[in-house]
Amino acid sequence: MPDKVESILMLVAAGEFSMGILGNTFIGLVNCIGWIKKRKIASIDLILTSLAISRICLLCIILLDCFILVLYPDVYATGKQMRIIDFFWTLTNHLSVWFATCLSIFYFLKIANFFHPLFLWMKWRIDSAIPRILLGCLALSVFISLVVTENLNDDFRCCVRTKKKTNLTVRCRVKKAKYSSIKICLNLLTLFPFSVSLISFLLLILSLWRHTRQMKFNATGCRDFSIEAHMGAMKAVISFLLLFIAYYLAFLVATSSYFMPETELAVIIGELIALIYPSSHSFILILGSNKLRQASLRVLWKVKYVLKRRNF
């Protein structure tokens, strides 16, 4: 049975999970309803829907792992069940990061103002290429997950629970180099899309700076929608970058738990921090999108109206 600390942490994890499911499900439902009504979907809505679905799955996997660790620790003694969880966690983790990177690139290509031939060609082709890019991200994530899971030894997860009860120091030391190399490769792979998002953010700043300079020489006194678009995109990208850094560090803690003395508590805390990224970023995306923000206001107005009627 879990102790009081673990019970409190699990309650916090359940709260974060609920908020994340609420936000990401809202994004998916709004975009899917619009898709059904118009019989077509905009590229940005397709990216946001794919991102929301991947994060819903990621949230479910993280919460499931927390509950198994606390309530059913004996499952860690078997390799097959935990191998499945490792596969889906790796898959949804990479999908979430790659789809968020696609969103950053889309913002950059649609909003930035550059006149390089390569940039103009990418800007022209991005809408038609989005479905293929998302499928490519899915195929790449499945391949990485299969490779990583295949190379994890069956006693990897077992040590999370049993190494405090049995002396596995010698075996852990022998396996440490192998496991470390796998984890380093896994985490370095997620740094590539993060770097692409960072480059997109820096180029957006450069584009905004150039546009602001031009506006000084051509001041019209009118509202500048280009600057507003730049600022909105930059807020979305920088929120992803900051939240991903926190998630990445928490992911390192959770996946490196094999080498920590207090593994059970370390994994739960790491996964608790990891839940913040897919949960909170969805609300930032809702606030940054006119369509999603207006839909959320309509829902809140209806909820308020129903509650008022019940009071009377």
Side-chain angles (χ1 to χ4, degrees):
M1 291 294 291
D3 57 24
K4 289 183 179 180
V5 175
E6 290 175 344
S7 299
I8 293 172
L9 292 176
M10 289 306 301
L11 286 174
V12 175
E16 291 182 354
F17 170 81
S18 301
M19 293 299 294
I21 291 295
L22 179 64
N24 286 292
T25 302
F26 178 79
I27 292 174
L29 282 177
V30 170
N31 289 327
C32 287
I33 291 172
W35 189 358
I36 293 170
K37 287 181 177 179
K38 297 180 180 179
R39 304 216 175 158
K40 63 178 181 180
I41 186 169
S43 298
I44 183 67
D45 293 337
L46 181 59
I47 298 173
L48 287 172
T49 303
S50 303
L51 181 60
I53 294 171
S54 68
R55 284 177 172 171
I56 289 171
C57 297
L58 178 61
L59 286 165
C60 292
I61 290 296
I62 294 176
L63 190 70
L64 176 64
D65 196 64
C66 284
F67 273 105
I68 289 177
L69 182 63
V70 174
L71 301 177
Y72 305 101
D74 293 337
V75 176
Y76 278 84
T78 58
K80 292 182 180 179
Q81 290 87 341
M82 297 318 302
R83 193 182 288 268
I84 294 172
I85 292 178
D86 284 329
F87 170 79
F88 282 106
W89 191 348
T90 306
L91 174 63
T92 53
N93 172 52
H94 279 270
L95 274 178
S96 176
V97 175
W98 277 107
F99 287 163
T101 302
C102 290
L103 183 63
S104 302
I105 295 172
F106 185 84
Y107 281 143
F108 164 65
L109 291 175
K110 285 296 182 179
I111 296 171
N113 295 313
F114 293 104
F115 298 99
H116 192 279
L118 178 60
F119 174 81
L120 294 175
W121 179 81
M122 293 173 65
K123 189 183 186 77
W124 175 62
R125 295 280 297 172
I126 186 63
D127 283 310
S128 59
I130 284 297
R132 293 192 293 272
I133 292 173
L134 295 178
L135 287 174
C137 291
L138 175 61
L140 179 62
S141 299
V142 170
F143 174 75
I144 293 171
S145 304
L146 286 172
V147 173
V148 170
T149 309
E150 185 63 28
N151 283 279
L152 287 178
N153 195 285
D154 286 346
D155 68 346
F156 168 71
R157 285 289 196 164
C158 177
C159 285
V160 174
R161 184 71 183 183
T162 60
K163 74 177 184 179
K164 292 191 291 187
K165 297 179 180 180
T166 59
N167 186 11
L168 300 176
T169 306
V170 176
R171 185 172 62 178
C172 289
R173 189 180 297 117
V174 171
K175 299 291 184 179
K176 184 175 181 178
K178 177 182 175 182
Y179 292 148
S180 295
S181 62
I182 294 171
K183 298 209 177 316
I184 289 171
C185 292
L186 170 63
N187 290 295
L188 286 178
L189 285 172
T190 57
L191 282 180
F192 177 73
F194 172 79
S195 302
V196 173
S197 295
L198 181 60
I199 293 170
S200 300
F201 173 70
L202 295 175
L203 289 174
L204 271 173
I205 294 177
L206 177 61
S207 175
L208 177 61
W209 176 75
R210 290 179 59 184
H211 180 75
T212 306
R213 270 186 74 188
Q214 290 176 0
M215 289 297 296
K216 287 181 180 179
F217 296 104
N218 302 298
T220 61
C222 299
R223 186 179 178 186
D224 192 349
F225 292 99
S226 180
I227 290 181
E228 290 183 6
H230 274 82
M231 295 304 295
M234 287 169 60
K235 288 177 183 177
V237 176
I238 197 171
S239 63
F240 160 69
L241 294 175
L242 293 175
L243 287 170
F244 180 77
I245 291 172
Y247 172 78
Y248 185 78
L249 295 175
F251 187 73
L252 279 175
V253 171
T255 56
S256 302
S257 60
Y258 183 81
F259 312 109
M260 295 182 179
E262 297 295 331
T263 57
E264 192 171 318
L265 189 59
V267 171
I268 295 174
I269 293 175
E271 293 180 348
L272 202 64
I273 299 172
L275 281 168
I276 297 173
Y277 160 64
S279 299
S280 58
H281 193 236
S282 59
F283 292 97
I284 296 173
L285 293 176
I286 291 171
L287 294 174
S289 169
N290 289 330
K291 175 184 174 181
L292 294 173
R293 186 170 62 252
Q294 290 172 6
S296 64
L297 290 175
R298 287 195 298 269
V299 170
L300 290 174
W301 183 86
K302 289 179 180 178
V303 170
K304 184 179 179 181
Y305 176 75
V306 170
L307 291 176
K308 278 186 176 181
R309 290 197 63 181
R310 285 190 177 181
N311 289 335
F312 290 105

